[in-house]
Amino acid sequence: LTAAPDAHAYVLRLQPCERALLQACRAVLSSDERERADRLRFETDRARYTIAHAYFRFVLAQHLGLTDPADVPLTSGANGEPLIASARAGALRCSLSHARDHVAVALAPTAVGIDVEEYREGTEIERIAQRYFAPEEAAELRALEPDAARERFVQLWTCKEAFIKAIGLGLAHPLDGFAVRGLGAGVPRYAGIPVEHGGDDAWTLATRSLGAGAHAAVAVRLPGARTAFIHTAWTAFAHAFPPN
Ligand SMILES: CC(C)(COP(=O)(O)OP(=O)(O)OC[C@H]1O[C@@H](n2cnc3c(N)ncnc32)[C@H](O)[C@@H]1OP(=O)(O)O)[C@@H](O)C(=O)NCCC(=O)NCCS
């Protein structure tokens, strides 16, 4: 018998999207979300934002027992972090991430952050690590062969972003102030988390490879948290948004 997970991480791999699906997705967004989508300069970004937020609402609606994703009372906090404004949600917390080919959503009854990233050709791993990562992480990357370094770079990046999103601060929290250990072997964990955020032992980190250089990471403020990763098939998502 396996115990129920403490956190859920949902991943959607994006597919080419027809106009009718995009319209149905847009229809469930709030006016705020629509305005944010419209402000994006490129059509691909507008489409990705629309799909990501429709998926976010689709997942949240399932957890809240709502039939219409439009009814999810989604707002955002002072730093842009997503919030569920409903007594019905209880203590449910959520996080959203989107990359070129993936959307990821995390839900937990405690602080939670998710990040999904894909390796982009030509990324200056060493320079970025030197500038933004903890010294031990930059050193770890330098010791790896190029292919392994690319994978580790994306993993490290997602783990670090997951934490700064879980605390709601985003990049206002320095990325070099804490480190991620154990990605090579053992159990991944944080080191150097400030006491005001509970210290290292308050957090559990879960990672998943999504293939082709893509990775997802989830930070949960709960010791020993079990995180379930769930992949949503594109067809299942698309069927939930039939054209009007
Ligand atoms: C939040 C942040 C970590 C996003 O990381 P990212 O890898 O670029 O993007 P992701 O797709 O993983 O995450 C974006 C989502 O995180 C959420 N988010 C935004 N701010 C957040 C915060 N402070 N805490 C938690 N989640 C946040 C939003 O839901 C956002 O999705 P949306 O824009 O579609 O609503 C980062 O960009 C940040 O700190 N931004 C704050 C603004 C800022 O510093 N801008 C200057 C950039 S140089």
Side-chain angles (χ1 to χ4, degrees):
L1 197 82
T2 41
D6 302 294
H8 290 85
Y10 292 87
V11 179
L12 176 69
R13 199 180 146 78
L14 298 173
Q15 303 285 326
C17 177
E18 284 169 18
R19 186 163 295 273
L21 175 57
L22 214 52
Q23 273 166 2
C25 285
R26 184 175 167 90
V28 304
L29 304 193
S30 67
S31 50
D32 267 15
E33 288 171 309
R34 276 180 226 168
E35 280 165 27
R36 284 199 53 204
D38 293 343
R39 280 204 294 272
L40 296 169
R41 194 166 152 208
F42 298 106
E43 193 178 346
T44 46
D45 292 334
R46 291 195 292 273
R48 194 179 298 108
Y49 180 97
T50 301
I51 299 287
H53 283 252
Y55 181 61
F56 196 16
R57 287 175 166 277
F58 164 75
V59 168
L60 287 168
Q62 281 179 351
H63 273 254
L64 296 172
L66 298 168
T67 41
D68 189 349
D71 292 339
V72 174
L74 196 58
T75 60
S76 44
N79 300 303
E81 70 279 22
L83 298 171
I84 309 163
S86 156
R88 187 169 186 166
L92 190 67
R93 309 276 291 268
C94 60
S95 183
L96 167 68
S97 182
H98 32 90
R100 193 191 55 218
D101 298 331
H102 296 88
V103 181
V105 170
L107 301 175
T110 178
V112 64
I114 193 164
D115 192 52
V116 60
E117 303 283 344
E118 295 129 9
Y119 176 74
R120 268 173 253 155
E121 211 52 60
T123 302
E124 296 176 74
I125 288 176
E126 238 179 77
R127 193 182 60 78
I128 296 171
Q130 197 68 38
R131 178 147 178 210
Y132 297 104
F133 286 11
E136 66 175 79
E137 294 168 328
E140 181 185 342
L141 287 170
R142 277 196 301 275
L144 293 171
E145 297 295 326
D147 281 357
R150 274 182 219 122
E151 292 288 325
R152 185 64 50 80
F153 173 81
V154 178
Q155 280 185 307
L156 280 167
W157 187 264
T158 54
C159 290
K160 293 172 82 66
E161 287 262 348
F163 174 72
I164 63 170
K165 292 171 84 175
I167 60 173
L169 288 177
L171 290 171
H173 188 84
L175 282 176
D176 60 0
F178 65 102
V180 176
R181 294 183 182 157
L183 285 174
V187 180
R189 65 196 183 280
Y190 292 115
I193 300 299
V195 259
E196 67 260 36
H197 298 302
D200 300 345
D201 295 340
W203 293 86
T204 308
L205 177 58
T207 61
R208 270 292 180 291
S209 165
L210 304 174
H215 291 269
V218 182
V220 187
R221 189 169 174 167
L222 182 74
R226 289 173 304 263
T227 299
F229 282 83
I230 298 130
H231 288 262
T232 304
W234 179 259
T235 47
F237 169 71
H239 281 147
F241 293 90
N244 303 320

